[in-house]
Amino acid sequence: MTDPRIMTVRPGPGEYAWTFGGAAPLARIAPGTVLDLYTEDCFAGRVRSEKDLVSEVCEFPFLNPQTGPFHIEGAEPGDTVAVHFVSVEPARDWAASTTVPLFGALTSTHTTATLQPPLPETVWIWQLDRTRRTALFRAHDGDFEAELPLDPMHGTVGVAPANLEVRSALVPDAHGGNMDTPEMRAGVTCYLGVNVEGALLSLGDGHARQGEGETCGVAVECAMNTVVIVELLKGVATPWPRLESDTHIISTGSARPLEDAFRISQLDLVQWLVRDYGFGELDAYQFATQAVESPLANVCDTNYTCVAKLRKEWLPRRETYRGLHAQLSETATTLRS
């Protein structure tokens, strides 16, 4: 096996993308390239203390900066880009979270309009111990403290949308984007359907950890040092972002209302079982109904995201995505050694 090509990218302040689609490529890469990336947090690094309110230090819509996009040579509509996360590591010893007026699952929003006043802006700075792998929560009211385990992930991974669309990096949809699923962690392969020549892959929005649903709309947001392997599967379609770990296959769906996001993820999982695992459609429907796990990813963004995951040990021994996850996992092990 030849050594993989490694590209190190540390964007300057003016080199981030704020949309999927509509941004010029940061670089062109060949399939099989290893990207060693720095990604900034969703606040572009501007929320650094409890006094830094988003409304004062950030400029909407310049939130959620993405590292990229990367033009993948040979990628065409109808293909699939595979992104294998070798490592996802916090780049700083602190992370930020906050409440944002008119944003989140338990407050009035611009689309769920009520007479109640917006929640106040409050910032929490989490101290990260990268050696002990912990994130420290300190309450504002009272003296409660708790160390939670680090579980680094990327909230946003995606490609350019179809039909000449340009989508804000805050929006999840069929192209990927701001899905905010904790499943997007090291050891996982993310499959994204290609919509335009070169795919135009970007990623960002690192979270030191996040609960399922991202209820207040903001995770433990931090800059990341991330290593991924990017591959290309010609002639393999992926209608919605899919993930594969050593233990699960995972479908996603993003939409509003929440029921539609749920339906998309469940249907995509059923169709995956039919295409790659030999199920008849109704058998797949029945089997998934009894075996699926359905964690929420986000219930706060412009579109909500649901996840449908199945244990691989319960599935027929069939190859999915040409066995690429296992191959990339082996390459990742070599890179780490």
Side-chain angles (χ1 to χ4, degrees), residues 85 192 271:
F85 289 86
L192 298 161
Q271 292 174 334

Side-chain angles (χ1 to χ4, degrees), residues 140-219:
H140 280 293
D141 297 323
D143 56 3
F144 177 74
E145 293 186 357
E147 282 190 327
L148 302 180
L150 284 181
D151 187 10
M153 52 161 285
H154 274 278
T156 307
V157 183
V159 295
N163 303 319
L164 301 178
E165 286 193 358
V166 176
R167 304 299 296 273
S168 164
L170 296 170
V171 179
D173 211 311
H175 67 283
N178 193 30
M179 296 177 285
D180 285 320
T181 171
E183 305 290 346
M184 201 76 71
R185 55 170 68 93
V188 165
T189 303
C190 176
Y191 302 111
L192 298 161
V194 177
N195 302 303
V196 303
E197 183 182 352
L200 300 181
L201 169 72
S202 301
L203 68 157
D205 192 25
H207 298 172
R209 65 167 296 113
Q210 179 210 300
E212 293 172 359
E214 199 183 21
T215 309
C216 84
V218 185

Side-chain angles (χ1 to χ4, degrees), residues 45-69:
R46 295 178 179 176
V47 178
R48 306 178 68 89
S49 77
E50 294 177 354
K51 297 179 180 179
D52 293 329
L53 302 183
V54 173
S55 62
E56 296 176 357
V57 301
C58 296
E59 180 185 358
F60 188 83
F62 296 103
L63 295 167
N64 222 15
Q66 301 299 300
T67 299

Side-chain angles (χ1 to χ4, degrees), residues 108-122:
S108 298
T109 71
H110 294 288
T111 53
T112 303
T114 70
L115 281 172
Q116 63 180 326
L119 288 178
E121 286 188 78
T122 305

Side-chain angles (χ1 to χ4, degrees), residues 37-111:
L37 305 175
Y38 174 85
T39 65
E40 190 48 272
D41 67 34
C42 70
F43 308 116
R46 295 178 179 176
V47 178
R48 306 178 68 89
S49 77
E50 294 177 354
K51 297 179 180 179
D52 293 329
L53 302 183
V54 173
S55 62
E56 296 176 357
V57 301
C58 296
E59 180 185 358
F60 188 83
F62 296 103
L63 295 167
N64 222 15
Q66 301 299 300
T67 299
F70 297 95
H71 179 111
I72 302 163
E73 294 174 359
E76 301 172 299
D79 298 339
T80 289
V81 166
V83 182
H84 182 83
F85 289 86
V86 178
S87 61
V88 182
E89 292 295 329
R92 296 191 278 248
D93 290 327
W94 58 270
S97 191
T98 181
T99 49
V100 178
L102 299 177
F103 181 64
L106 300 184
T107 182
S108 298
T109 71
H110 294 288
T111 53

